[in-house]
């Protein structure tokens, strides 16, 4: 049990660090909603290696910690991240269960869900349906980042599959 | 050559369902792009749900609108529009390039700009 | 599943709703007229458009100054055939439109004068020749006194030789009649353009009708766009019918007080609901210095105007028609 908590804590901190580093790279600040999402490598990993509950923990706690450290707790940005993360994790879990997509496919779905979640929240928050015109850019970026995150997660899973670092 | 190599490498990570998924998503993207990307002659500025300003992009002019945080300044030039100034922490929407299609979203100011191609219904003269 | 839902939503949004539209072009009162009807069944549109053509055609005949029509007592007849002090019964529609003009004379301090026919004729002759302007004595002796016209019920008498010219408001007047006809017949969404005299009903799309204003002497350029609904937009301009002598512009709108055209502005556009009223006001304002015109418009309810002169002038709340 303790081993598990320790493991999750470590993964969480890795996730936070990844997110932090990413937030300092200016490239992804340009367009709202476009980001690499490196922190999600950990989330994807946890979905496969542990359970969905654990994935939710890591995901939500990461958002909160980043909220404290970077974006400001309970700010608009925080809220968006939270919804995006939740939608993403739930989607990935369902997709993994229901379809025959591999890690990469699941990751892409997670990225897309995250983006769509952002758009829906933006539409509700701004009461303006026209934001859907944003989807093309967002979707392309989701596919690309989902691909990268998925590939990285897959390698990690393979690597730790036959080893025990704990 | 390098491209071919990376594509091959990437493909090893995926199974056929993943590839189908990407295919479907790309088709959807193309559909959206097909229906929305074009030169538009009007920019529609919304504050929340309400259309507050309809801008004729053929007239080079500057505009000021009231956003949630303060004034947002817009400029029209060469049939395109750009957000010049806004009161916000990250200044995201003023970083968006000159454009006449797609959407410009200024979340903290609750301003959204989209585009349309409106022909005049008629003229008086 | 999520994606499918979003896709459907988008297709809905993107393709929009296409309204059906039926239109008809006509030529009456020396003007190209276009009528567009929206959101009604094909059969209804045919009936309505036919009747509208009929309305314009009838009024065209009644108010025609230059042609006679068998069996119709029209303006040509009243001007050229009817003798002084001879009384005659006229069609109630013609009598209404003449009374409207007499009323307009009173409301505009005499700047809109239906008895101006004699002066208009002189200027027309000179304009068609294009070389000179009329001499003062040619104009001074003309009778343009509206009191020479006597109209009681439908009996018309002219006390002296006076010629009716209804051109300053007839397009607007008849257009408003057409608008009322459409509304009475359950067609709310329509657009009428009678030679620049625009009348629109309820909009057929999510935004209002967009009406462009032509730049004087450069009409392919639109200098402003208005967004209107249930409104008329009428413009009077010196570029519509004019000629030049020694570099001076002489247009077709004759000032009843001076019997000469004016150049206070290149154009003035009036925005108000009633087309006849808009037509009258646009003629009136065109003959006044801009400052005076602005004061008058500001004092009127639900009327706005824009002048295109050395610069652009606006009435107080004109921008409500430029915004959404």
């Amino acid at each position: 049990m303790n081993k598990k908590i320790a493991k999750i804590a470590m993964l969480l901190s890795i996730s936070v660090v990844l997110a932090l580093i990413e937030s300092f790279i200016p490239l992804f600040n340009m367009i709202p909603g476009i980001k690499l999402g490196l922190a999600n490598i950990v989330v994807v990993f946890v979905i496969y290696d542990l359970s969905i509950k654990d994935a939710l923990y890591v995901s939500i706690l990461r958002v909160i910690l980043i909220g404290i450290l970077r974006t400001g707790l309970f700010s608009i940005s925080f809220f968006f991240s939270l919804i995006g993360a939740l939608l993403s994790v739930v989607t990935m879990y369902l997709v993994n269960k229901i379809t025959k997509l591999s890690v990469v496919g699941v990751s892409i779905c997670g990225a897309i869900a995250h983006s769509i979640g952002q758009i829906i929240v933006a539409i509700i928050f701004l009461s303006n349906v026209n934001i859907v015109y944003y989807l093309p850019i967002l979707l392309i970026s989701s596919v690309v980042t989902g691909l990268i995150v998925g590939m990285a997660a897959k390698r990690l899973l393979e690597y730790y599959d036959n080893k025990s670092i704990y | 050559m390098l491209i071919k190599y990376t594509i091959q490498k990437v493909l090893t990570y995926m199974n056929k369902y993943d590839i189908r998924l990407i295919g479907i998503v790309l088709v959807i993207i193309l559909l959206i792009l097909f229906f929305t990307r074009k030169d538009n002659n009007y920019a529609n500025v919304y504050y929340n749900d309400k259309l507050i300003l309809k801008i004729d992009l053929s007239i080079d002019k500057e505009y000021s609108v009231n956003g949630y945080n303060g004034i947002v300044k817009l400029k029209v030039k060469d049939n395109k529009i750009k957000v010049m100034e806004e009161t916000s922490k990250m200044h995201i929407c003023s970083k968006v390039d000159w454009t006449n299609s797609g959407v410009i979203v200024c979340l903290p100011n609750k301003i959204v700009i989209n585009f349309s191609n409106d022909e005049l219904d008629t003229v008086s003269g | 599943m999520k994606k499918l839902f979003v896709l459907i939503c988008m297709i809905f949004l993107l393709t929009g709703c296409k309204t059906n539209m039926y239109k008809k072009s006509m030529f009456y009162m020396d003007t190209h007229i276009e009528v567009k009807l929206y959101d009604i069944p094909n059969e209804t549109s045919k009936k309505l458009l036919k009747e509208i053509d009929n309305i314009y055609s009838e009024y065209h005949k009644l108010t025609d100054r230059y042609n006679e029509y068998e069996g119709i007592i029209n303006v040509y007849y009243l001007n050229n055939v009817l003798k002084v002090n001879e009384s005659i019964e006229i069609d109630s529609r013609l009598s209404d439109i003449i009374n409207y003009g007499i009323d307009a004379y009173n409301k505009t301090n005499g700047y809109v004068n239906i008895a101006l026919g004699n002066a208009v004729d002189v200027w027309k002759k000179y304009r068609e020749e294009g070389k000179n302007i009329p001499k003062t004595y040619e104009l001074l002796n003309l009778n343009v006194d509206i009191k020479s016209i006597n109209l009681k019920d439908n009996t018309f008498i002219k006390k002296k030789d006076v010629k009716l010219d209804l051109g300053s408001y007839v397009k607007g007047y008849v257009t408003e009649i057409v608008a009322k006809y459409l509304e009475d017949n359950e067609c709310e969404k329509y657009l009428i353009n009678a030679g620049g005299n625009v009348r629109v009903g309820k909009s057929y799309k999510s935004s209002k009708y967009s009406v462009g204003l032509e730049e004087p002497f450069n009409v392919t350029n639109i200098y402003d766009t208005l967004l209107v609904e249930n409104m008329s937009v009428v413009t009077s301009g010196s570029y519509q019918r004019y000629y030049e002598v020694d570099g001076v512009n002489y247009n077709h709108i004759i000032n009843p007080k001076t019997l000469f055209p004016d150049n206070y502005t290149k154009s003035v556009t009036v925005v108000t609901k009633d087309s006849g009223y808009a037509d009258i006001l646009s003629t009136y304002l065109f003959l006044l210095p801009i400052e005076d015109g602005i004061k008058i418009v500001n004092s009127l309810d639900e009327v706005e105007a824009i002048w295109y002169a050395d610069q652009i002038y606006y009435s107080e709340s004109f921008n409500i028609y430029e915004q959404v």
Side-chain angles (χ1 to χ4, degrees), chain C residues 141-181:
Chain C
N141 293 322
L142 298 173
N143 179 19
V144 294
D145 187 3
I146 199 170
K147 293 195 180 46
S148 304
I149 298 170
N150 212 298
L151 182 58
K152 188 121 189 262
D153 296 325
N154 291 328
T155 312
F156 181 92
I157 300 182
K158 55 185 181 190
K159 298 288 189 194
K160 285 198 194 155
D161 178 41
V162 72
K163 293 222 168 34
L164 288 172
D165 187 310
L166 307 178
S168 53
Y169 63 92
V170 67
K171 275 188 292 194
Y173 180 91
V174 182
T175 297
E176 190 62 26
I177 287 180
V178 169
K180 283 206 181 69
Y181 164 76

Side-chain angles (χ1 to χ4, degrees), chain A residues 101-159:
Chain A
L101 291 168
S102 77
V103 186
V104 172
V106 167
S107 167
I108 291 178
C109 286
I112 291 177
H114 177 95
S115 296
I116 291 182
Q118 306 265 10
I119 293 221
I120 292 178
V121 175
I123 292 178
I124 294 174
F125 185 72
L126 292 175
S127 312
N128 189 329
V129 193
N130 294 290
I131 305 181
V132 280
Y133 290 109
Y134 219 29
L135 267 164
I137 320 168
L138 227 42
L139 282 180
I140 292 180
S141 111
S142 302
V143 170
V144 172
T145 60
L147 195 59
I148 296 172
V149 167
M151 292 197 298
K154 184 163 190 230
R155 287 291 291 244
L156 278 171
L157 286 163
E158 284 168 356
Y159 187 77

Side-chain angles (χ1 to χ4, degrees), chain A residues 1 15 23 29 40 44 62 84 87-88 113 117 130 132 144 152 164:
Chain A
M1 185 56 202
S15 181
S23 72
N29 290 339
N40 293 304
V44 174
R62 183 205 82 213
L87 225 58
S88 170
N130 294 290
V132 280
V144 172
S164 178

Side-chain angles (χ1 to χ4, degrees), chain B residues 51-54, chain C residues 207-208 227 319-324:
Chain B
L51 182 62
I52 55 170
L53 188 58
K54 204 166 171 65
Chain C
S207 60
K208 298 182 188 169
L227 288 163
N319 59 7
I320 59 175
Y321 298 117
E322 289 173 314
Q323 304 278 8
V324 174

Side-chain angles (χ1 to χ4, degrees), chain A residues 29-30 32 100-102 104-105 108-109 112 125-128 130 133 136 139-140 143 147 151 154-155, chain B residues 10 12-15 17-18 21-22 25 29 32-33 36 46 48-49 92 95 103 105 107 110 112 114:
Chain A
N29 290 339
M30 296 292 164
K100 296 192 202 132
L101 291 168
S102 77
V104 172
I108 291 178
C109 286
I112 291 177
F125 185 72
L126 292 175
S127 312
N128 189 329
N130 294 290
Y133 290 109
L139 282 180
I140 292 180
V143 170
L147 195 59
M151 292 197 298
K154 184 163 190 230
R155 287 291 291 244
Chain B
V10 166
T12 60
Y13 286 82
M14 301 194 274
N15 63 23
Y17 300 101
D18 299 329
L21 169 73
I22 294 182
V25 174
I29 291 172
I32 303 172
L33 285 174
T36 61
Y46 296 83
N48 268 345
D49 195 18
I92 290 176
K95 285 189 186 137
V103 180
V105 179
L107 274 176
K110 301 195 185 188
V112 172
N114 73 3

